[in-house]
């Protein structure tokens, strides 16, 4: 995989498309090579820099909803790939974010689907 400079921020569609394609090919990061992980980090940083905010992300109502994991480089999440064992494989991974008991709180539920190995065939 040839490492390229980040796409110009004015072409966010191309950045998003490349990120989602590489993430899918690397099973969200679970099976990505080191060079692909590096490229995914560059693409992620490019998207983050395109949307600077003075507001704390947790103060935005845009955070509410159901979020599917497209890519991660977090070791705690990637370690899930070795846990299911021979009988199970990881399915979708979601994070559900809801309004908490006060306006400044959120309730977050992490959802990890475990599927019988080979069920996607």
């Amino acid at each position: 995989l040839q490492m390229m400079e980040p796409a110009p921020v004015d072409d966010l569609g191309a950045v998003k498309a490349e990120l989602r394609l590489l993430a899918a090919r690397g099973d969200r990061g679970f099976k990505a090579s080191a060079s692909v992980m590096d490229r995914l980090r560059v693409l992620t940083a490019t998207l983050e820099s395109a949307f600077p905010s003075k507001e704390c992300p947790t103060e935005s109502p845009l955070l509410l909803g159901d979020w599917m994991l497209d890519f991660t480089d977090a070791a705690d999440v990637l370690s899930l790939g070795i846990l299911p064992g021979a009988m199970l494989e990881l399915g979708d991974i979601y994070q559900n974010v809801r309004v908490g008991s006060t306006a400044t709180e959120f309730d977050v539920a992490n959802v990890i689907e475990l599927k019988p190995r080979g069920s996607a065939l």
Side-chain angles (χ1 to χ4, degrees):
L1 177 71
Q2 182 181 10
M3 295 302 289
M4 300 173 4
E5 291 298 314
V9 176
D10 61 334
D11 194 2
L12 290 177
V15 174
K16 290 177 188 179
E18 183 182 355
L19 186 139
R20 296 199 74 196
L21 178 64
L22 288 178
R25 287 180 178 166
D27 191 19
R28 301 165 288 188
F30 291 100
K31 298 177 182 173
S33 67
S35 62
V36 169
M37 291 295 275
D38 288 343
R39 181 65 184 153
L40 286 164
R41 288 182 190 107
V42 167
L43 294 167
T44 301
T46 300
L47 286 175
E48 289 173 347
S49 69
F51 299 99
S53 175
K54 295 176 185 161
E55 168 180 59
C56 178
T58 57
E59 293 175 0
S60 172
L62 298 174
L63 185 62
L64 299 175
D66 299 326
W67 296 90
M68 180 182 284
L69 179 75
D70 279 343
F71 162 69
T72 187
D73 61 356
D76 60 334
V77 178
L78 292 174
S79 68
L80 295 171
I82 60 173
L83 294 178
M87 300 303 291
L88 299 173
E89 61 188 13
L90 286 173
D92 291 331
I93 301 174
Y94 294 90
Q95 195 167 60
N96 302 322
V97 183
R98 306 285 184 256
V99 175
S101 56
T102 69
T104 59
E105 293 180 357
F106 293 99
D107 289 327
V108 179
N110 294 317
V111 180
I112 302 164
E113 291 182 355
L114 297 175
K115 298 179 178 184
R117 185 153 305 280
S119 64
L121 298 178

